[in-house]
């Protein structure tokens, strides 16, 4: 390597180290950083400018180096050895960042991505009933870190005081808006006491949308620290009506509750109504009355002792399972009933009869026989009676399950089902004495239900008439059937006729300009030629008559879908159907909240305030994922 002193155009030779020698810049396509420090030497021959691209010259010291196309390693080595201050690599833009480094930095707290993840964790806590402390658990943090390393989980307090309450307010506004659009709203309510002796009252709303879809949002599950008197419960109901904007002019708010006296009084004191007694509770009370017939009660007592024995002893449970497999029976566990829930008694009896062969074989096994005390197996006569009673109770079980659905109208089914159950309780010659007594007890209990006050019975008759499954009212005598439709006509005229008159008085509908013929002859010939406008009451009577004569649907059909199709044919009757059919026949929708409340008010969630419990229950029941 040596310094070059080229000849300039005027013949003068100057040192390149002085920086005055001419160098050709590399093409723009050469991206290497070393080209900022090197160039191609230039010489002149016979006035022509020639560029030598077989060599490069350092701009700092003038060193000439051989160059092969595309190879810049020698130039980079020269810079590193002789000009260490010049690395030959461009300094990165301060804003440019390598991908691995980018994933090491956390999202800013206000970034869209961080906000979306935080909200989704709030939905997870509410929808899956998780304690707020889950965000502090090591496993949860590890999972989030793997899914999104750049996300930093906020504190538990952040979710308690901000995220979940904001979700509640957002969902509440949606439901309030939907409730305001509903023409009529019904309520169910019930009470519950947690294992921490905290008392709660829940309120659930029910309405039918303009698209004939049943909606049943849970409105609130609030603590009630005072005693559950009718007055205190009435304050809860009136507060719920005001908070959720449920009041409707000229429309009552039906309330379905259990048959407790305090609940009945609460609905009256709150000025709501009618109050519908839960039909599931009615069946429960009637069934319990039938099951407490002396001989039946003793039979159930013997079954309970057997079931309890197999529940307490792991050895007995193992022997029973062995016998089930040997006899090729389902390996089902025996069911222990809860005395206050007749359904559980039915299930216990049904399971016992299913497994009676395995039970008898297990109880006579030598491994268990020596430990059996005060256990009496059922005789053949006992088994026969149990089978008869099970058949008696089966319709009641089916009715209870049928009424527990929230997607189909149920208040319209109350009286037809009551009639059907009473008919099934008619005694038969083949019945044993115990079976006859059970039927008589159930029938006597049901006969007096929904008869007082008379207005309630009439309300239920109209509900049934508005259901296309039962509109024929075949369970009623013709006179009562006709009176029910007449009452329905009167109610429509009374409720809607006033609105039409007010609309006409206030110019609610713009009057159309009369033709010359109408001006001259309208009053004289109105109605005689069929061209006059029919009075509102007559039009409603005709519409109801057409509806009554129309074909219904099968009992397993969808009444709301029928109304969706036929609403335009019977518009005024449809308005009444939307009000009546939204009323539940049971308070089961409110009772279902209790299992959710039980999930929340547990030892692990003992730090939750009752207000937070209300928020989580509300979101659990109403969030749509």
């Amino acid at each position: 390597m040596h310094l070059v002193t080229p000849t300039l155009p005027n013949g003068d030779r100057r040192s390149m180290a002085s920086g005055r020698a001419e160098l050709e810049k590399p093409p723009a396509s050469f991206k290497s950083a070393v080209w900022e420090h090197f160039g191609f030497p230039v010489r002149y021959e016979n006035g022509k400018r020639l560029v030598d691209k077989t060599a490069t010259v350092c701009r700092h010291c003038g060193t000439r180096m051989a160059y092969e196309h595309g190879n810049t390693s020698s130039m980079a080595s020269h810079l590193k050895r002789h000009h260490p201050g010049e690395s030959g690599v461009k300094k990165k833009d301060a804003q440019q960042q390598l991908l691995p480094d980018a994933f090491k930095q956390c999202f800013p707290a206000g970034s869209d991505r961080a906000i979306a993840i935080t909200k989704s964790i709030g939905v997870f806590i509410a929808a899956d009933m998780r304690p707020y402390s889950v965000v502090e658990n090591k496993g949860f943090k590890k999972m989030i870190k793997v899914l999104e390393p750049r996300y930093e989980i906020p504190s538990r307090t952040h979710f308690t005081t901000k995220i979940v309450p904001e979700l509640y307010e957002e969902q509440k506004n949606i439901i309030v808006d939907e409730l305001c659009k509903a023409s009529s709203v019904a309520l169910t309510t019930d009470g519950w006491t947690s294992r921490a002796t905290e008392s709660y009252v829940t309120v659930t709303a029910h309405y039918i949308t303009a698209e004939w879809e049943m909606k049943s949002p849970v409105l609130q599950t609030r603590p009630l620290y005072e005693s559950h008197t009718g007055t205190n419960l009435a304050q809860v109901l009136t507060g719920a009506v005001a908070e959720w904007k449920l009041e409707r002019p000229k429309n009552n708010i039906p309330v379905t509750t259990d048959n407790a006296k305090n609940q009945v009084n609460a609905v009256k004191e709150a000025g709501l109504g009618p109050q519908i007694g839960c039909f599931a509770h009615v069946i429960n009370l009637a069934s319990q009355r039938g099951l407490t017939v002396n001989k039946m009660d003793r039979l159930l007592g013997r079954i309970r002792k057997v079931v309890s024995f197999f529940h307490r002893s792991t050895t007995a449970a193992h022997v029973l399972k062995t016998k089930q497999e040997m006899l090729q029976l389902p390996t089902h566990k025996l069911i222990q009933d809860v005395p206050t829930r007749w359904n559980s008694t039915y299930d216990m009896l049904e399971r016992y009869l299913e497994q009676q062969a395995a039970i008898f074989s297990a109880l006579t096994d030598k491994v268990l026989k020596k430990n059996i005390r005060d256990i009496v197996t059922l005789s053949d006569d006992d088994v026969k009676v149990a089978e008869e009673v099970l058949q008696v109770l089966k319709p009641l079980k089916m009715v209870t399950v049928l009424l527990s659905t929230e997607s189909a109208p149920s208040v319209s089914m109350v009286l037809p089902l009551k009639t059907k159950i009473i008919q099934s309780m008619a005694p038969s010659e083949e019945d044993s004495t115990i079976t006859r007594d059970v039927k008589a007890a159930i029938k006597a209990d049901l006969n007096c239900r929904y008869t007082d006050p008379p207005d309630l019975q009439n309300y239920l008759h109209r509900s049934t008439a508005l259901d296309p499954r039962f509109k024929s009212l075949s369970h009623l005598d013709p006179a009562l059937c006709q009176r029910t439709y007449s009452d329905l006509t009167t109610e429509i005229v009374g409720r809607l006729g006033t609105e039409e008159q007010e609309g006409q008085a206030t110019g609610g509908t713009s009057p159309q300009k009369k033709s010359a013929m109408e001006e001259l002859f309208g009053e004289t010939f109105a109605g005689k030629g069929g061209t006059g406008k029919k009075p509102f009451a007559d039009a409603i009577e005709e519409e109801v008559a057409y509806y009554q004569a129309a074909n219904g649907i099968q009992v397993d059909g969808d009444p709301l879908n029928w109304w969706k199709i036929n609403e335009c044919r019977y518009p005024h009757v449809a308005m009444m159907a939307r009000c009546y059919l939204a009323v539940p026949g049971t308070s089961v929708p409110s009772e279902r909240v209790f299992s959710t409340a039980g999930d929340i008010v547990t030892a692990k969630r003992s730090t939750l305030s009752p207000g937070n419990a209300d928020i989580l229950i509300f979101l659990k029941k109403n969030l749509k994922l």
Side-chain angles (χ1 to χ4, degrees):
M1 298 181 183
H2 58 278
L3 293 176
V4 178
T5 307
T7 303
L8 297 180
N10 59 4
D12 189 15
R13 299 174 65 86
R14 299 179 182 178
S15 172
M16 294 187 64
S18 65
R20 290 175 294 179
E22 184 179 1
L23 295 177
E24 176 77 7
K25 291 183 178 181
S29 59
F30 287 18
K31 300 298 184 182
S32 177
V34 299
W35 289 110
E36 291 183 2
H37 310 280
F38 285 85
F40 295 112
V42 177
R43 71 177 188 276
Y44 289 85
E45 291 183 2
N46 301 324
K48 292 184 179 180
R49 185 175 183 273
L50 302 175
V51 179
D52 184 4
K53 292 190 177 182
T54 62
T56 59
V57 178
C58 177
R59 295 182 183 275
H60 302 288
C61 62
T63 301
R64 184 185 180 97
M65 307 176 65
Y67 172 70
E68 293 182 6
H69 183 70
N71 188 351
T72 60
S73 58
S74 59
M75 290 183 282
S77 298
H78 172 81
L79 289 174
K80 186 181 294 185
R81 184 180 305 113
H82 299 285
H83 310 288
E86 304 294 340
S87 64
V89 180
K90 288 183 178 179
K91 293 182 180 180
K92 296 180 178 64
D93 191 345
Q95 296 181 350
Q96 188 177 4
Q97 193 175 29
L98 296 178
L99 190 60
D101 294 334
F103 276 95
K104 292 178 182 179
Q105 291 189 350
C106 294
F107 288 126
S111 68
D112 293 342
R113 178 65 173 159
I115 291 172
I117 296 175
T118 302
K119 184 176 180 180
S120 69
I121 294 176
V123 172
F124 159 74
I125 290 173
D128 290 350
M129 309 310 297
R130 301 298 179 184
Y132 289 110
S133 60
V134 71
V135 298
E136 299 173 344
N137 294 347
K138 293 181 179 178
F140 184 79
K141 287 184 174 181
K142 175 67 175 177
M143 179 185 69
I144 295 297
K145 187 59 67 177
V146 171
L147 294 175
E148 182 51 85
R150 294 168 291 177
Y151 175 71
E152 190 71 26
I153 303 177
S155 67
R156 169 181 177 173
T157 305
H158 184 70
F159 287 96
T160 307
T161 60
K162 181 174 175 60
I163 300 302
V164 173
E166 285 180 355
L167 281 173
Y168 171 78
E169 290 298 329
E170 178 183 326
Q171 194 64 35
K172 181 179 179 180
N173 291 335
I174 293 174
I175 291 180
V176 168
D177 183 59
E178 291 180 353
L179 288 171
C180 290
K181 294 177 182 178
S183 58
S184 178
V185 180
L187 299 177
T188 57
T189 182
D190 214 331
W192 174 75
T193 302
S194 73
R195 70 181 188 182
T197 64
E198 292 176 336
S199 183
Y200 292 83
V201 176
T202 188
V203 178
T204 304
H206 307 269
Y207 59 95
I208 297 174
T209 66
E211 292 75 29
W212 289 94
E213 181 183 358
M214 183 77 78
K215 296 282 189 177
S216 300
V218 174
L219 301 185
Q220 59 190 48
T221 305
R222 305 281 170 81
L224 182 63
Y225 301 108
E226 299 83 7
S227 59
H228 285 208
T229 63
T231 301
N232 292 333
L233 292 173
Q235 292 176 355
V236 173
L237 289 174
T238 53
V241 169
E243 179 180 351
W244 295 90
K245 303 177 183 179
L246 304 180
E247 293 178 338
R248 300 289 186 276
K250 302 176 185 178
N251 275 5
N252 294 328
I253 301 180
V255 184
T256 304
T257 70
D258 60 23
N259 296 283
K261 191 66 176 176
N262 61 340
Q263 294 279 11
V264 176
N265 292 337
V267 176
K268 291 181 180 178
E269 290 191 35
L272 307 177
Q275 187 270 333
I276 314 295
C278 173
F279 194 47
H281 281 81
V282 168
I283 293 175
N284 184 44
L285 294 172
S287 302
Q288 285 182 357
R289 184 171 177 179
L291 292 172
T292 53
V293 172
N294 288 334
K295 293 181 180 180
M296 189 63 203
D297 192 40
R298 289 195 294 270
L299 177 62
L300 290 174
R302 293 201 294 272
I303 294 175
R304 289 188 185 105
K305 283 186 177 181
V306 173
V307 174
S308 297
F309 173 72
F310 284 101
H311 272 245
R312 291 195 310 267
S313 172
T314 55
T315 303
H318 176 71
V319 172
L320 178 62
K321 185 176 181 180
T322 302
K323 299 299 183 182
Q324 289 171 333
E325 292 173 350
M326 182 181 68
L327 295 170
Q328 297 183 351
L329 292 172
T331 55
H332 295 158
K333 291 184 178 180
L334 300 182
I335 297 174
Q336 183 73 65
D337 73 330
V338 179
T340 56
R341 297 288 181 180
W342 86 269
N343 273 349
S344 65
T345 304
Y346 175 92
D347 294 336
M348 179 186 71
L349 187 59
E350 183 181 44
R351 182 61 54 82
Y352 185 93
L353 293 175
E354 175 194 85
Q355 299 292 334
Q356 60 176 317
I359 292 170
F360 181 81
S361 179
L363 291 175
T364 55
D365 190 281
K366 62 181 180 179
V367 176
L368 301 181
K369 197 170 184 181
K370 58 184 179 181
N371 297 323
I372 295 175
R373 296 175 185 175
D374 300 328
I375 293 181
V376 180
T377 57
L378 302 188
S379 65
D380 291 342
D381 289 340
D382 291 335
V383 171
K384 181 181 178 182
V385 170
E387 290 174 343
E388 288 181 3
V389 172
L390 194 67
Q391 291 302 313
V392 172
L393 297 177
K394 188 174 182 179
L396 281 73
K397 170 76 172 183
M398 294 172 62
V399 168
T400 304
V401 173
L402 186 64
L403 287 171
S404 298
T405 178
E406 296 178 34
S407 60
S410 56
V411 71
S412 58
M413 302 166 62
V414 169
L415 293 186
L417 288 174
K418 173 190 169 183
T419 303
K420 190 67 178 178
I421 293 173
I422 290 176
Q423 290 174 353
S424 70
M425 295 300 147
S428 172
E429 294 181 357
E430 294 80 15
D431 291 342
S432 64
T433 304
I434 296 179
T435 303
R436 286 174 177 268
D437 292 343
V438 170
K439 285 184 174 181
I442 294 174
K443 184 176 180 179
D445 190 272
L446 285 176
N447 272 329
C448 61
R449 301 290 181 175
Y450 302 109
T451 58
D452 187 43
D455 288 345
L456 173 61
Q457 189 177 52
N458 294 334
Y459 179 89
L460 294 176
H461 283 320
R462 292 195 295 275
S463 300
T464 305
L466 289 166
D467 190 326
R469 296 172 295 181
F470 311 111
K471 61 188 291 296
S472 64
L473 302 181
S474 57
H475 61 290
L476 303 180
D477 61 76
L480 183 55
C481 173
Q482 194 56 45
R483 194 188 78 186
T484 298
Y485 276 102
S486 177
D487 291 345
L488 182 60
T489 302
T490 302
E491 183 178 4
I492 295 175
V493 172
R495 184 180 296 191
L496 303 180
T498 306
E499 295 178 5
E500 180 156 311
Q501 292 173 5
E502 289 176 354
Q504 292 175 354
T506 58
T509 55
S510 57
Q512 295 180 354
K513 186 177 180 180
K514 294 183 179 180
S515 65
M517 293 293 288
E518 286 178 309
E519 289 284 353
L520 290 171
F521 303 111
E523 294 182 2
T524 305
F525 295 96
K528 295 182 181 180
T531 57
K533 185 178 180 180
K534 192 175 297 184
F536 182 74
D538 293 346
I540 295 301
E541 184 176 358
E542 184 176 309
E543 182 181 322
V544 171
Y546 283 142
Y547 167 72
Q548 184 180 0
N551 293 328
I553 57 176
Q554 298 293 326
V555 291
D556 58 349
D558 185 353
L560 297 185
N561 186 57
W562 187 92
W563 271 115
K564 184 177 182 179
I565 297 171
N566 293 280
E567 180 179 12
C568 58
R569 297 182 181 179
Y570 321 105
H572 299 93
V573 182
M575 292 176 65
M576 298 302 295
R578 187 176 272 111
C579 297
Y580 273 82
L581 298 184
V583 182
T586 74
S587 58
V588 169
S590 289
E591 288 185 14
R592 284 206 180 102
V593 176
F594 300 161
S595 60
T596 300
D599 289 339
I600 291 180
V601 189
T602 61
K604 192 169 185 180
R605 299 176 172 86
S606 59
T607 57
L608 283 180
S609 67
N612 278 335
D614 177 31
I615 290 174
L616 289 178
I617 293 169
F618 174 86
L619 291 173
K620 163 71 175 178
K621 294 297 183 180
N622 298 319
L623 275 174
K624 297 175 179 61
L625 301 180

